[in-house]
Amino acid sequence: MKKKIVNNPIKKYLPIFILPTLIAFILFFVVPFIMGIALSFGQFRVITDVKWVGFENYIKAFTFDNDFLRSLGFTSLFTIVSIITVNTFAFLLALLLTKGLKGTSFFRSVFFMPNLIGGIVLGYIWNLLINGVLGYLFGEDISFKAQYGFWGLVILTNWQLIGYMMVIYIAGLQNIPNDLIEAAAIDGASPMNILFKIKIPMVMPSITICSFLTLTNTFKMFDQNLALTNGAPNRETEMLALNIYNTFYGRSGWQGIGQAKAVVFFLIVAIIAFAQLKFTKSKEVGE
């Protein structure tokens, strides 16, 4: 007797369910993205009056504007430091909060809460802390020193992202079979050996996700940078997103150059993120 094949009725109507999201994606992402690339090759003040200039905007972005390259260097250094610090502290907290200590749920909530606060609000909170508390102690406005601005942004980023990354690491650690850890302990493995030989390799998928999220969040940071330092002093703490914003809206006739910077910015983020994903996934167990 042949088994009767029953067609899934959901598949029949699947295109109908996907269509609204697909239309919204095309209208509000694909179309503006293509228009943005096209505008980067033109000189304009309004998008209805564009003069084609070819690669002139890209050349000017790298040759006539030293602030762009300085912002790229500042953003790259900030991103590297933030990825290391955020993920290190988040992983250590995850290890601590998976030990079954009393009040674990409370501390998980407390560490996660800063992630719920908007970037502008976070920036102004830390602006008040730096200029208020530390400024009072040292008797000066330290946010207008580049080194303090850099580390202020790093501290702000850690405060915001550690809790979110911690939750992902906790999920990864809890998926490690207890039998595997117990077997390693019985065989005489030290806690450090268990950490580096079992736990870290087993949570590599979590490390991949957290590294990617930290990289994209820090490299694209705008609102926190605007609220905390606004590029002061002399645009030395100006990150790429803020530099693009200031170019597009702060310089008359530079809209095309600002658009060219935005395209370069997208390519940099996409290439670095893809390389990071490929590298960390190659370290995952079973790859």
Side-chain angles (χ1 to χ4, degrees):
M1 182 177 179
K2 292 184 178 179
K3 187 177 180 180
K4 185 178 180 180
I5 300 175
V6 180
N7 293 326
N8 190 344
I10 296 179
K11 291 183 179 180
K12 181 179 179 181
Y13 299 101
L14 190 60
I16 298 176
F17 295 126
I18 295 176
L19 189 60
T21 302
L22 182 62
I23 293 174
F25 177 75
I26 293 173
L27 289 178
F28 300 108
F29 180 81
V30 176
V31 172
F33 180 75
I34 295 173
M35 289 180 62
I37 294 176
L39 288 171
S40 69
F41 294 100
Q43 184 179 358
F44 63 95
R45 293 180 186 273
V46 292
I47 61 174
T48 55
D49 184 18
V50 182
K51 178 184 177 182
W52 175 265
V53 295
F55 287 94
E56 182 180 330
N57 290 330
Y58 290 91
I59 296 172
K60 287 183 177 179
F62 286 98
T63 57
F64 285 82
D65 189 3
N66 294 328
D67 291 328
F68 182 61
L69 294 176
R70 182 169 60 185
S71 296
L72 176 59
F74 181 86
T75 305
S76 300
L77 179 61
F78 166 76
T79 300
I80 293 171
V81 173
S82 296
I83 290 174
I84 295 172
T85 54
V86 167
N87 287 280
T88 300
F89 289 127
F91 184 73
L92 292 176
L93 279 174
L95 284 174
L96 182 63
L97 295 177
T98 51
K99 297 293 184 180
L101 301 176
K102 187 177 180 180
T104 295
S105 298
F106 170 76
F107 286 110
R108 288 182 185 179
S109 301
V110 169
F111 287 123
F112 185 79
M113 282 179 64
N115 186 71
L116 304 177
I117 305 174
I120 288 288
V121 177
L122 279 175
Y124 283 121
I125 289 173
W126 281 95
N127 192 309
L128 290 172
L129 287 173
I130 292 175
N131 288 326
V133 178
L134 299 181
Y136 174 79
L137 292 175
F138 293 97
E140 55 183 336
D141 188 359
I142 65 173
S143 69
F144 286 96
K145 291 187 176 181
Q147 65 269 29
Y148 291 118
F150 175 84
W151 289 110
L153 286 166
V154 170
I155 293 171
L156 183 157
T157 302
N158 276 258
W159 192 63
Q160 181 184 24
L161 296 181
I162 281 176
Y164 185 70
M165 305 306 163
M166 175 198 71
V167 172
I168 299 175
Y169 283 126
I170 287 175
L173 288 169
Q174 290 178 335
N175 283 330
I176 300 175
N178 289 327
D179 295 343
L180 184 62
I181 297 176
E182 290 173 0
I186 293 172
D187 289 340
S190 66
M192 293 302 292
N193 284 332
I194 292 175
L195 174 63
F196 286 100
K197 299 295 184 180
I198 297 178
K199 290 186 176 180
I200 291 180
M202 292 293 288
V203 298
M204 275 307 298
S206 298
I207 294 174
T208 299
I209 295 171
C210 290
S211 299
F212 174 78
L213 291 174
T214 309
L215 188 152
T216 53
N217 274 281
T218 53
F219 214 93
K220 298 188 300 180
M221 183 176 288
F222 170 75
D223 41 3
Q224 296 93 325
N225 187 204
L226 176 67
L228 184 62
T229 68
N230 197 23
N234 300 319
R235 307 182 73 172
E236 291 183 30
T237 60
E238 182 184 66
M239 298 181 68
L240 274 177
L242 183 58
N243 177 269
I244 293 169
Y245 172 84
N246 288 331
T247 301
F248 198 95
Y249 293 103
R251 296 187 179 185
S252 179
W254 278 56
Q255 284 81 1
I257 299 174
Q259 193 63 46
K261 287 182 179 182
V263 174
V264 173
F265 181 49
F266 167 79
L267 291 174
I268 291 173
V269 174
I271 292 170
I272 294 176
F274 177 78
Q276 175 266 315
L277 282 173
K278 188 173 182 180
F279 173 76
T280 52
K281 281 186 72 68
S282 68
K283 302 298 181 181
E284 292 180 10
V285 175
E287 290 293 316

